[in-house]
Amino acid sequence: MFRTLTVAFAWASCAWLACSFPVLAEVPKNAPPEKDTLQAVFDRIQNHAAGDAWKQPGWKDDAIQSYLDKLIATIAFATENKDLTLPVRMGDVKPFDPTPRNAFRPEEMLLIGKNLKITNAPQRSIILADGSVELMSIPQECTIVARHAIVGRSNLRSCVLVAGSYFCGQYDGMPDNPAAGSLIITRGRAEMTASWGSLI
């Protein structure tokens, strides 16, 4: 009898404690890395810039493409601009061919590197930099993503530019064609001398 009462009392005490103090889940020491963020895109670019895998035919990064698609869709919805899209997609480009016939005005090229200085005039190309991009010519219908800064020394036309910290451009778009303006996205400061149809 005494043993039975002791067991019953112990069980009742445990039940009371369980009701009085909520059970807390164990908090992980390190939160899992975020995948669908701009920082995650910059980290992926950093990995690609450190190697040569992107130079293989047919290479593409679906995670970066997906993030850019969602980013543009969000901006299109916020601005009520249904025509806003990426000018070029990864499936449309190929690794940059530095031969003379492609050096002046490369089309549909993919270029990934650390700090890039683009002296030619790329068209419908994708440029990804683990650092900064300096544009010396007139890129048209390009997607350019840089972990740090994007600097346009000439004119920009119909591009999507994503800068991690800073954007500086001379001119964007065309006075007689507002549709030639670019979409400029930055987490920091943006400066522009003159623009026509730009969305910053």
Side-chain angles (χ1 to χ4, degrees), residues 81-157:
N81 184 355
K82 297 180 180 179
D83 296 328
L84 188 61
T85 60
L86 287 169
V88 61
R89 303 179 63 80
M90 285 197 177
D92 302 326
V93 297
K94 53 188 178 295
F96 175 56
D97 179 4
T99 56
R101 66 185 180 85
N102 295 313
F104 176 68
R105 187 178 291 274
E107 295 185 16
E108 299 180 350
M109 79 164 180
L110 170 67
L111 180 61
I112 303 178
K114 180 66 177 176
N115 293 299
L116 302 174
K117 184 175 183 179
I118 311 298
T119 58
N120 45 29
Q123 298 185 59
R124 292 187 52 76
S125 297
I126 295 177
I127 300 169
L128 308 175
D130 176 35
S132 298
V133 175
E134 186 176 9
L135 301 163
M136 307 302 294
S137 57
I138 305 176
Q140 299 184 53
E141 299 182 40
C142 293
T143 298
I144 302 173
V145 183
R147 177 186 285 268
H148 181 42
I150 297 176
V151 178
R153 301 296 185 187
S154 182
N155 200 349
L156 309 168
R157 293 177 186 169

Side-chain angles (χ1 to χ4, degrees), residues 6-23:
T6 302
V7 173
F9 175 78
W11 180 87
S13 299
C14 292
W16 177 81
L17 287 173
C19 294
S20 301
F21 300 97
V23 178

Side-chain angles (χ1 to χ4, degrees):
M1 179 67 178
F2 177 75
R3 181 178 298 175
T4 303
L5 289 174
T6 302
V7 173
F9 175 78
W11 180 87
S13 299
C14 292
W16 177 81
L17 287 173
C19 294
S20 301
F21 300 97
V23 178
L24 299 177
E26 183 180 354
V27 178
K29 295 180 180 179
N30 296 317
E34 296 185 50
K35 297 181 179 180
D36 198 15
T37 64
L38 181 56
Q39 185 58 50
V41 169
F42 289 147
D43 292 343
R44 296 184 70 85
I45 293 173
Q46 184 178 49
N47 291 334
H48 297 323
D52 294 328
W54 64 272
K55 296 180 181 180
Q56 299 301 316
W59 181 94
K60 60 180 179 177
D61 188 312
D62 292 332
I64 293 178
Q65 182 67 69
S66 176
Y67 176 83
L68 293 174
D69 287 337
K70 292 177 183 177
L71 179 64
I72 298 304
T74 300
I75 296 173
F77 177 79
T79 59
E80 299 182 352
N81 184 355
K82 297 180 180 179
D83 296 328
L84 188 61
T85 60
L86 287 169
V88 61
R89 303 179 63 80
M90 285 197 177
D92 302 326
V93 297
K94 53 188 178 295
F96 175 56
D97 179 4
T99 56
R101 66 185 180 85
N102 295 313
F104 176 68
R105 187 178 291 274
E107 295 185 16
E108 299 180 350
M109 79 164 180
L110 170 67
L111 180 61
I112 303 178
K114 180 66 177 176
N115 293 299
L116 302 174
K117 184 175 183 179
I118 311 298
T119 58
N120 45 29
Q123 298 185 59
R124 292 187 52 76
S125 297
I126 295 177
I127 300 169
L128 308 175
D130 176 35
S132 298
V133 175
E134 186 176 9
L135 301 163
M136 307 302 294
S137 57
I138 305 176
Q140 299 184 53
E141 299 182 40
C142 293
T143 298
I144 302 173
V145 183
R147 177 186 285 268
H148 181 42
I150 297 176
V151 178
R153 301 296 185 187
S154 182
N155 200 349
L156 309 168
R157 293 177 186 169
S158 304
C159 293
V160 170
L161 306 112
V162 183
S165 60
Y166 177 62
F167 170 83
C168 178
Q170 291 292 322
Y171 306 101
D172 178 52
M174 302 172 65
D176 57 346
N177 182 14
S182 298
L183 171 60
I184 300 162
I185 304 162
T186 177
R187 297 193 297 188
R189 190 171 78 253
E191 298 180 6
M192 181 78 73
T193 301
S195 66
W196 301 272
S198 307
L199 179 60
I200 303 176

